[in-house]
Amino acid sequence: MANSIILTLLKFYSSKQRVPVIDFGEFVDYLRRYAQHHEDENPELVVYTNGSSDSLQEELMKLESERHIKLISQGSKQYIVVINYFIERYTETFTDMERNYSLPFPTVNDLPKHVPTDIAEKDQASDLIFKLLDAETPKDDRTLYCILFNKGVPGMLLPSTISVTSLINICLKKLQDMLRKGDAHDYFEKKMRAANPGKEISIKNFFSSFLAKPEDCWLALKNNGDSFYYWNQLCYFIKQDCTKMKDFNAEDINILQTIGIIEVSASYYKNKASEKLLRDAAFKVLDEQLLHPPYYFSMDDILKFKDQNGTLLSTKYKDSELKSHIELLTSHTVGANLPSLLIFKVDETQSYFIMKEKVMPLIVRMSNDARELIHESLSKVWFKYLLNYETLPEMKEQPAFERCLERELKVCAPVLYGILGASFLPVLAYDDDTPGKINLYREGVLIPFSELLLLKRNEIYQDARIKLPFWYTLPIISWILAAIHRKSKAQKKKDSEKSATAAIIQEERDKAEAKQTELDAKDSGNTKSKKKALRQAAANVENQIVPASSTIDRELESYMQEWNDRISKQAHDDLVEDINTLIRDYTRKTLRTLKTEHLNRERIASLAEALVNTPSLMKIKNHPALKRYIELYMVKLIRNIP
């Protein structure tokens, strides 16, 4: 608090005396009299009533460290330089300059001789202008900057109360004023025409636009950076003319400072325009990848997107810019339509993004995958229960069967279950006009899962019963055995709540791991064998690209249905065999030179990209699905190396 009082009094005393430098002794005396007069109002001033300078010296040291003041000594005397005095003075200078552009910029030479130049924060024009333009929050009002230029041009003093945008506007007006004087406009226009034959009209338009409305001409540079070349050349020719002089006069210094600011600022906006082009291109690639398999992505997945060269897209934009782009995609609507990018949740912690046009095809694909898996799982599990003379509620009751399907769907297709529960689905399903669309809602309610998955309870039950031995069909024998093996209602309910699909998936994974163990055991005992290392690397990639609720074989089958559109079974099978043979041959050749440590998800993706772009595969329409299939098949081949 005392620190604030001392600074306020220093500013007041400096303004009242109209001097930037205060004699330390005089200020001690002034502070003593002020403290004696106001000690009742502010008890903290009591320490200064006796005229002691010890407490004051401590406060002044703090203010100096915060760059509010500068303490200097001349002989036996000590003085206080109040930096705020110069900030206020030069703020007025720039304010007057906005009305009269012929006024010169304040320079470091304007400071009193006994005032040290380090009261200003010195920095090169390129560094300081870039820093101030990049600043997202306004600077404080207690800093005095000194913008340094090339040798021979004195540094410009800029108070932090003047924004760099205001400084640029002043420089533009100064340049406009200079070009309007005499024949300067014609002179520099001719020089630029001579240096750029064939561009006479565009140069003339540039000059005309600048002289008419310099702010609009500058705005064009800020938006696209196309006119940077002309700005740079104009600044170069003006500097070239001014630097021919051995000694600079005040007007030359003013012009060189003006050109220096414009040149650096133009370079800044040129860089920003280039960054914007790269960022827009990166976002375009990102939007395209959102349309590729698996079609649903978490934010972590989006952060891992790469361009064709394998460079992370996240290196071409900031996290805040990505957030803004995602927010735009998820919120921008046209009329009553949904935004192009939708969000759904699988659970309370995991959210996914999906492009609007991919929702219905993904529901169809996942429903087909889930139907086969659930039918197979329930058929196997129900057979085991029937074999033990047991029944489950879902075998006999349709409501229990619907609850069973919902439970199975949560396990085998959590993403599909999340989409079906999303708030956007009713609107999207109503507006869907794709051929052969699925009517997901009836009277405003989602259709039963049995209809969605095309599963019938009786068919699954009959598939399970048909596998039973013949004596299970004998009424009396089967009734007696069922009575012996009958479980309690609580146990039946517990069995009913178990997921059949989860058990089947785990069983398939156990078989794959057992095969992996068997293959490892067949190795020559060398734990560092290349085959074993390759299989382990492929297993790691498999864990990254195959969802936890699925297996690699199921994913292969799913993506095969997307890219293989052959109608007849023979043509379908022939195409699959041809593609698989091509992948096997390509993988075999690649493994001869592939180092184990280089086998990762990115490497598999690049190999699949190279293969899918070969002329022999160009006729296949759905390249994203084919690429995903190739990745999965390569991983499977390497995982099963004998």
Side-chain angles (χ1 to χ4, degrees), residues 393-408:
E394 50 264 33
M395 296 179 184
K396 303 293 185 181
E397 304 168 7
Q398 188 62 28
F401 181 64
E402 296 293 342
R403 291 193 297 271
C404 172
L405 292 181
E406 181 178 4
R407 183 172 61 250
E408 299 298 327

Side-chain angles (χ1 to χ4, degrees), residues 231-500:
W231 282 102
N232 194 47
Q233 269 212 329
L234 177 60
C235 292
Y236 170 75
F237 286 130
I238 294 175
K239 282 196 305 181
Q240 189 182 52
D241 271 29
C242 288
T243 51
K244 289 178 181 179
M245 309 296 180
K246 291 184 179 180
D247 297 321
F248 298 144
N249 57 31
E251 186 177 356
D252 293 332
I253 291 173
N254 191 33
I255 291 174
L256 288 171
Q257 289 174 333
T258 298
I259 293 302
I261 297 298
I262 291 177
E263 193 173 31
V264 170
S265 303
S267 179
Y268 172 85
Y269 288 118
K270 167 66 166 54
N271 292 342
K272 287 298 179 182
S274 299
E275 291 175 4
K276 183 178 183 298
L277 289 175
L278 289 174
R279 183 171 62 250
D280 292 346
F283 283 141
K284 184 178 180 180
V285 174
L286 185 148
D287 294 346
E288 291 175 354
Q289 292 196 11
L290 288 173
L291 295 170
H292 290 182
Y295 308 119
Y296 57 92
F297 304 93
S298 65
M299 183 55 75
D300 290 338
D301 296 329
I302 293 175
L303 290 173
K304 295 176 183 177
F305 282 176
K306 295 183 178 181
D307 61 13
Q308 293 180 348
N309 299 322
T311 304
L312 284 171
L313 295 178
S314 57
T315 60
K316 300 180 180 180
Y317 43 71
K318 298 177 182 177
D319 290 344
S320 58
E321 292 170 340
L322 174 61
K323 183 179 178 182
S324 299
H325 182 71
I326 294 296
E327 286 179 353
L328 177 65
L329 292 177
T330 55
S331 60
H332 179 67
T333 58
V334 178
N337 295 328
L338 289 169
S340 58
L341 187 65
L342 304 173
I343 308 174
F344 67 94
K345 286 187 174 182
V346 171
D347 51 45
E348 294 299 324
T349 58
Q350 185 62 63
S351 298
Y352 287 99
F353 298 94
I354 183 172
M355 297 300 285
K356 178 173 63 176
E357 60 263 39
K358 292 298 179 181
V359 172
M360 299 308 292
L362 186 63
I363 289 177
V364 173
R365 194 202 87 185
M366 286 191 161
S367 296
N368 290 334
D369 296 343
R371 176 177 65 252
E372 296 178 6
L373 178 57
I374 293 175
H375 187 285
E376 179 186 356
S377 302
L378 290 180
S379 178
K380 286 183 178 180
V381 172
W382 287 10
F383 168 73
K384 291 179 181 179
Y385 277 91
L386 292 174
L387 197 62
N388 292 326
Y389 301 97
E390 300 171 10
T391 59
L392 295 173
E394 50 264 33
M395 296 179 184
K396 303 293 185 181
E397 304 168 7
Q398 188 62 28
F401 181 64
E402 296 293 342
R403 291 193 297 271
C404 172
L405 292 181
E406 181 178 4
R407 183 172 61 250
E408 299 298 327
L409 200 62
K410 283 183 181 180
V411 174
C412 73
V415 172
L416 174 60
Y417 186 78
I419 294 177
L420 293 175
S423 58
F424 60 75
L425 190 60
V427 179
L428 190 64
Y430 179 79
D431 295 336
D432 182 36
D433 56 357
T434 55
K437 70 173 185 177
I438 303 176
N439 294 319
L440 293 177
Y441 289 86
R442 185 182 301 123
E443 298 180 356
V445 180
L446 186 69
I447 61 175
F449 289 105
S450 57
E451 291 187 35
L452 175 68
L453 300 174
L454 301 179
L455 289 174
K456 294 182 179 180
R457 175 174 53 85
N458 291 336
E459 289 182 359
I460 300 175
Y461 185 67
Q462 292 302 325
D463 287 346
R465 278 182 57 86
I466 203 170
K467 300 175 186 177
L468 296 171
F470 76 92
W471 58 83
Y472 280 76
T473 59
L474 302 177
I476 298 177
I477 297 176
S478 60
W479 183 85
I480 295 173
L481 293 175
I484 297 173
H485 292 86
R486 184 175 292 125
K487 293 183 179 180
S488 64
K489 291 184 178 180
Q491 184 61 41
K492 286 184 178 181
K493 183 178 180 182
K494 186 176 180 180
D495 291 343
S496 177
E497 292 174 353
K498 291 180 181 179
S499 172

Side-chain angles (χ1 to χ4, degrees), residues 33-55:
R33 289 184 282 108
Y34 182 87
Q36 290 173 350
H37 190 266
H38 295 281
E39 62 177 329
D40 293 336
E41 301 172 11
N42 193 342
E44 293 187 5
L45 294 172
V46 174
V47 295
Y48 304 114
T49 56
N50 59 3
S52 173
S53 62
D54 295 338
S55 299

Side-chain angles (χ1 to χ4, degrees), residues 586 603-613 627 630-631 634:
Y586 182 73
R603 182 59 175 157
I604 291 292
S606 65
L607 292 172
E609 181 71 26
L611 184 58
V612 81
N613 289 327
K627 179 176 177 290
I630 293 174
E631 292 176 9
M634 280 183 174

Side-chain angles (χ1 to χ4, degrees), residues 52-194:
S52 173
S53 62
D54 295 338
S55 299
L56 176 61
Q57 190 72 37
E58 184 180 345
E59 296 296 334
L60 292 178
M61 295 292 287
K62 292 180 181 178
L63 290 173
E64 185 177 33
S65 66
E66 297 172 359
R67 298 188 65 85
H68 288 292
I69 65 170
K70 178 70 177 179
L71 298 176
I72 58 175
S73 299
Q74 292 182 357
S76 60
K77 283 195 171 185
Q78 188 177 16
Y79 297 90
I80 308 169
V81 181
V82 182
I83 299 177
N84 184 75
Y85 176 89
F86 295 103
I87 293 176
E88 291 182 352
R89 175 184 169 185
Y90 296 133
T91 300
E92 292 177 2
T93 301
F94 277 92
T95 303
D96 294 339
M97 205 179 300
E98 290 178 346
R99 295 189 293 268
N100 183 5
Y101 301 108
S102 61
L103 293 175
F105 289 114
T107 69
V108 71
N109 296 337
D110 296 334
L111 293 173
K113 292 182 179 179
H114 54 282
V115 174
T117 58
D118 60 355
I119 65 168
E121 185 178 309
K122 298 178 181 179
D123 211 340
Q124 290 294 324
S126 56
D127 297 331
L128 183 58
I129 297 299
F130 272 56
K131 181 176 69 174
L132 294 178
L133 287 171
D134 276 333
E136 297 182 358
T137 56
K139 289 290 182 181
D140 56 61
D141 59 354
R142 65 169 183 256
T143 305
L144 181 65
Y145 297 110
C146 179
I147 304 176
L148 302 177
F149 300 96
N150 295 331
K151 188 177 180 181
V153 181
M156 177 198 299
L157 295 176
L158 176 70
S160 55
T161 50
I162 300 299
S163 69
V164 68
T165 304
S166 299
L167 174 63
I168 294 172
N169 289 334
I170 291 172
C171 290
L172 292 174
K173 290 294 185 180
K174 282 180 174 289
L175 180 58
Q176 181 192 40
D177 190 50
M178 186 206 78
L179 291 176
R180 283 177 173 175
K181 291 180 181 178
D183 61 349
H185 164 254
D186 294 335
Y187 173 73
F188 288 111
E189 185 176 340
K190 287 179 181 178
K191 291 194 74 170
M192 288 184 64
R193 284 182 178 182

Side-chain angles (χ1 to χ4, degrees), residues 502-539:
I504 297 300
I505 292 176
Q506 186 59 43
E507 182 181 340
E508 292 183 7
R509 288 185 177 274
D510 291 342
K511 289 180 180 179
E513 291 178 4
K515 185 175 181 180
Q516 175 75 19
T517 304
E518 182 182 351
L519 290 171
D520 291 343
K522 289 180 180 179
D523 284 337
S524 59
N526 180 8
T527 57
K528 295 182 179 180
S529 70
K530 182 177 180 180
K531 290 183 178 180
K532 183 176 180 180
L534 284 172
R535 286 198 294 268
Q536 184 59 47

